[in-house]
Amino acid sequence: MLLLLGLCLGLPLFSESQEEAQIWDDTSEQVMLRVPRQLRLLQRLKTKPLMAEFSVKSTIISRYAFTTVSCRMLNRASEDQDAEFQMQIPESAFITNFTMLIGDNVYQSEITEKEKKSSDRIKEKRNRTTDDNEEKGTDMFKASLVIPSKDKAAFFLSYEELLQRRLGKYEHIISVRPQQLVGRLTVEVNILERSGITSLEVLPLHNSRKKGSGKAEGDEGPPPSTIINHNETFAKVVFKPTVVQQAKIAQNGILGDFIIQYDVKREQNIGDIQVLDGYFVHYFAPKNLPPLPKNVVFVLDISASMVGAKLQQTREALVTILNDLRPQDRFNIIGFSNRIKMWKDHLLPVTPDNIRNGKIYMYHLSPTGGTDINGALQTAIKLLNNYVAQNDIEDRSVSLIIFLTDGKPTFGETNTLRILSNTKEATGGQICIFTVGIGNDVDFRLLEKLSLENCGLTRRVHEEEKAGAQLIGFYDEIRTPLLSDIRIDYPPDAVERVTKTLFPNYFNGSEIVIAGKMADKKFDQLHVEVTASNSKKFVILKRDIPVESRKMGNDVSVTPGSVSGGGKDPNHLERLWSYLTVKELLSSWVQSNSEQEKEQLRQKAQALALNYHFLTPFTSMKLKKPGLHPNQLEDTHGMSAATGPTTVVQNLREASMQPANKHFSFSSSLAPVVDGDPHFVVDFPISKLTVCFNIDGEPGDILRLVSDHLGSGVTVNGELIGAPAPPNGHKKHRTYFRTITILINQPERSYLEITPNRVILDGGDRLVLPCNQSMVVGSRGLEVSVSANANVTVTIQGTIAFVILIHLYKKPAPFQRNHLGFYIANSKGLSHNCHGLLGQFLNQDAKLVGAPEEYGKNLSNHQPSPRAEGMPEAILKVKGRRVPVVWKQRKIYNGLEQVDCWFDKNNAAKLIDGVYKDYLALHPFDTESARGPSMSRKAEPDSLHEESA
């Protein structure tokens, strides 16, 4: 078996049961594909396996996040197929495990040493964002393989990270980019914060660099189908979009970043200190302090490469930043190319006149020449040093340089080591340098080291992004310094191996995190002392923290699972400590210029990373030879599964959830749906009511689903196929949709006929597409996308989209038939006069009367008891008619999706306009009612148009 693995990173594997995914036979008939010579058609033939499931589960315990990604693929084709699993992970995360299942073979990863000679090269190669599918601030993990014909594969990837606090919020980002529509897509995030959760927000899906993906147009707030539950200390967020909801967001399966932001309670100025089983963590984020004055110099690259949008956006951003300066701040502006252009030879106070003149100076800077990075930095440092030396400053202040460039040093001193050495010597540890690199040509490693060695931060802005917005966001993080010269001390006989305890500055909205090991677990308390400077004051905070063996929730210890496969599972504080320690060792290695010191740092970082199974620049990931049958995998890794974060949080949730906890649910409008034996599901978005009904048609009937021939020029019909009723059922037979036909009359006439086996597109030239191959064809505003044996998406003029799901059975029961499901994913382009069994509800609303209050709202918010099935009864008022309905749960999409709805049990006799026969068509492309409309009860008599095809 050919196995190709592209590993750019690596994780604890939280094993889960290996459910058998259903594999369908390749039932597609042999179809001849004829592509006319003159057909103006874009066709991308790209066969790939079907992704049956994509699931991400994150557990965040005290800001430390454990994330596991699982993906299952099926190869339904009659030949072997290439498959690729890829996942963007946060740049700050460490992968800890990766496992692949191919058929019955299990490939388990292991973290091993990396040879010293390749460390530098790997540092450069570590998954930097270069591909168009990747986002800034992320690394890309990729694994490629070949799945044998009629076989399956599964991937399991885990990673860990410490969430950073920025602008007063922690942000957890999960990449949801499965590259295709997925039958079962789930993102679940559990958050446990002992100190209490004060705010929680789920943002719209974000994908700034992808056209036609990201969030759906007009969407605000959480993505469709997001459900949020939380109480004071625990939160659970679930994102589980249906195939139709996915198609509304992005038909290519690149949904974007799922982002959760939250913050915690902070009652003690000395911070939140947690102790657990020999380890401690100290979160320090004081508030309600007066800001420190800033001495800031803005250093702007005006070399020739900055011409155009980059310089213009940067100027606009600096205008915004200058307006934000406080009266007690001092500032200056430097533009540099091969010449250094200093606005003034000293720092100026913030006054309206100075701000106005500074803006004028910036707009007179014109791009030309090379890039003298060393000269610009030396000039800025001299300005700051002179100001501090020449002024008897009563108030303590913070000196900052904000340095922006898009290139490499090309003029003056160009040796990067000498630039770093000169800068560090000149700042003397008293000036912090914050760097922003723009574009792909910037020497980002130089900027990174400049910031690391001079108590600053660095950001990268890609070519496709707006530099101005990125610069403003970066500045917002450092705009309000509250403390300087922070030192945090613990008794040396009580703690050991403590992470960094000296910090030059603390900015409002951020957080200082320290972790360490307890030297002796017999200590009853831990003494903590914090000293820092704030404006005119010298701050000293002291506190004794009780030390005890903490348990959390029903006496369940917080033990996030061992990644070593044996021994005692470390707790989350131990893994947090190891994560921070490795990060600091890597940072020190980057800064060091001594070969001997670098080797010592490398050895320490490598030993710790191996012990805790972190994939780092000094470790590598290898796959072991095929192991046990997947059914035995859970036994092998049972310890991780039993004591992983998910298990812990489930126990915590059961223990801590109270009846009065908050419950929020956000569900988008269900697209009108017909699926199964046909189950019709209609959503009324204004009243947030979901209504479903059945139609007992006859085999061979052709139903008009969408009729908008005179409006948008679109008609959709569906032909029924019959099957025997299940044993002991109340129906005489079952019916399914065998064929969906679509007639598009504008701007040019096109016909589509879709079956479970093939798609026929006739738009002047006839094209036959097999449904067992993934492909996209497009012409004159019409695009047809086929996902092999899964679904067909039809997009018309970018404003109308239909999703046709393909349901295939490997061994169908007598009452089962291969069939289709029809969904309206985007109805924006359909007219207000649209009609049909589904189309008539697109612009209508309904009101529910006579139902208990808790059932009167969106049923996705209500979790009923099993005995409530079929109850209660109510009256639905729609178009002036009163329709008796009962509450039910209906399953669609082969029983994989469950919909809570109000069910019209009378075959929609009063729900739809007219009667059943009014919706029968003479032939698949008929746009006129077959037996004449009988619309005596229609609210809008012009809704159903009569016109012959």
Side-chain angles (χ1 to χ4, degrees), residues 332-502:
N332 203 337
I333 301 168
I334 293 175
F336 75 96
S337 54
N338 54 338
R339 296 174 55 195
I340 311 301
K341 299 180 180 180
M342 188 167 49
W343 175 38
K344 301 291 182 181
D345 60 0
H346 59 279
L347 296 188
L348 274 71
V350 175
T351 65
D353 287 344
N354 287 339
I355 294 296
R356 183 184 65 252
N357 293 335
K359 295 175 185 177
I360 294 172
Y361 174 77
M362 275 195 309
Y363 277 97
H364 282 109
L365 293 173
S366 56
T368 182
T371 309
D372 186 0
I373 290 179
N374 183 75
L377 287 171
Q378 293 298 312
T379 303
I381 295 169
K382 185 176 180 180
L383 278 172
L384 290 167
N385 284 335
N386 288 345
Y387 175 77
V388 173
Q390 295 172 7
N391 291 271
D392 183 16
I393 306 173
E394 294 183 3
D395 291 351
R396 299 177 184 274
S397 60
V398 173
S399 295
L400 311 175
I401 293 175
I402 297 180
F403 182 87
L404 187 144
T405 183
D406 72 335
K408 303 177 177 67
T410 61
F411 189 85
E413 180 60 74
T414 58
N415 184 283
T416 56
L417 290 179
R418 282 197 287 270
I419 293 174
L420 291 168
S421 175
N422 294 342
T423 304
K424 189 173 183 179
E425 181 180 354
T427 61
Q430 302 300 311
I431 299 171
C432 295
I433 301 177
F434 297 85
T435 58
V436 179
I438 301 177
N440 300 323
D441 297 327
V442 67
D443 188 347
F444 190 73
R445 187 164 186 176
L446 171 61
L447 300 185
E448 185 180 37
K449 293 193 73 172
L450 278 170
S451 294
L452 282 174
E453 293 182 358
N454 297 281
C455 63
L457 300 171
T458 186
R459 290 288 185 275
R460 182 175 220 157
V461 180
H462 291 275
E463 293 281 3
E464 301 85 352
E465 296 169 334
K466 293 183 177 179
Q470 295 291 319
L471 181 56
I472 292 173
F474 185 39
Y475 174 77
D476 284 343
E477 296 182 31
I478 59 175
R479 64 188 291 266
T480 310
L482 297 182
L483 294 174
S484 63
D485 302 322
I486 304 117
R487 179 187 179 99
I488 304 179
D489 291 311
Y490 311 92
D493 58 339
V495 300
E496 60 186 16
R497 302 189 69 178
V498 180
T499 58
K500 180 180 173 183
T501 58
L502 298 176

Side-chain angles (χ1 to χ4, degrees), residues 9-11 89 94-97 141 157-159 613-615:
L9 285 175
L11 54 225
I89 71 168
F94 285 142
I95 289 179
T96 50
N97 203 356
F141 178 94
L157 174 72
S158 295
Y159 59 86
H613 285 233
F614 291 147
L615 184 57

Side-chain angles (χ1 to χ4, degrees), residues 85 93 153 168 217 270 285 376 380 410 430 451 470 474 486 495 513 566 568 578 590 600 840:
F85 166 73
E217 183 178 350
I270 202 167
T410 61
Q430 302 300 311
S451 294
Q470 295 291 319
F474 185 39
I486 304 117
V495 300
V513 184
K568 183 180 178 180
S578 62
V590 171
Q600 293 174 349
Q840 64 185 292

Side-chain angles (χ1 to χ4, degrees), residues 239-295:
F239 172 53
K240 193 176 182 180
T242 64
V243 173
V244 178
Q245 289 167 332
Q246 295 172 46
K248 278 187 174 182
I249 300 169
Q251 296 173 15
N252 58 5
I254 303 177
L255 276 65
D257 290 326
F258 185 79
I259 304 173
I260 296 176
Q261 292 181 342
Y262 75 96
D263 201 15
V264 300
K265 288 183 180 178
R266 303 176 196 282
E267 297 179 353
Q268 301 293 336
N269 280 334
I270 202 167
D272 178 21
I273 302 172
Q274 300 179 20
V275 182
L276 178 64
D277 198 18
Y279 290 84
F280 77 91
V281 63
H282 184 183
Y283 300 103
F284 182 62
K287 56 183 180 179
N288 300 324
L289 296 172
L292 285 167
K294 296 191 300 290
N295 311 316

Side-chain angles (χ1 to χ4, degrees), residues 82-219:
D82 293 326
E84 181 179 73
F85 166 73
Q86 62 180 34
M87 181 69 186
Q88 291 180 20
I89 71 168
E91 192 175 19
S92 61
F94 285 142
I95 289 179
T96 50
N97 203 356
F98 177 65
T99 300
M100 286 196 308
L101 279 67
I102 306 175
D104 293 337
N105 294 321
V106 180
Y107 296 84
Q108 177 69 46
S109 70
E110 60 179 343
I111 303 295
T112 61
E113 292 185 6
K114 178 176 289 182
E115 294 181 8
K116 173 186 172 183
K117 62 183 180 182
S118 61
S119 297
D120 290 312
R121 183 162 45 91
I122 295 299
K123 174 67 178 178
E124 291 291 327
K125 286 186 174 182
R126 187 183 181 268
N127 309 0
R128 287 297 166 199
T129 299
T130 56
D131 190 88
D132 287 341
N133 289 334
E134 300 176 44
E135 294 292 307
K136 68 181 182 66
T138 64
D139 289 332
M140 179 68 79
F141 178 94
K142 293 183 180 181
S144 302
L145 54 85
V146 173
I147 305 178
S149 170
K150 308 294 183 182
D151 215 334
K152 60 186 180 295
F155 307 86
F156 302 93
L157 174 72
S158 295
Y159 59 86
E160 301 175 14
E161 61 173 322
L162 176 64
L163 303 185
Q164 297 182 16
R165 188 169 184 257
R166 289 175 178 158
L167 301 176
K169 294 179 181 178
Y170 302 100
E171 189 171 77
H172 185 48
I173 302 176
I174 295 174
S175 175
V176 187
R177 295 172 172 84
Q179 309 295 315
Q180 59 178 280
L181 300 181
V182 184
R184 292 188 296 273
L185 190 154
T186 306
V187 176
E188 180 181 320
V189 180
N190 296 285
I191 303 172
L192 177 68
E193 292 290 349
R194 190 191 67 181
S195 56
I197 300 172
T198 58
S199 64
L200 179 68
E201 182 182 8
V202 181
L203 304 185
L205 290 169
H206 176 74
N207 195 342
S208 61
R209 300 178 66 203
K210 274 293 175 183
K211 296 180 180 179
S213 61
K215 68 176 184 177
E217 183 178 350
D219 278 359

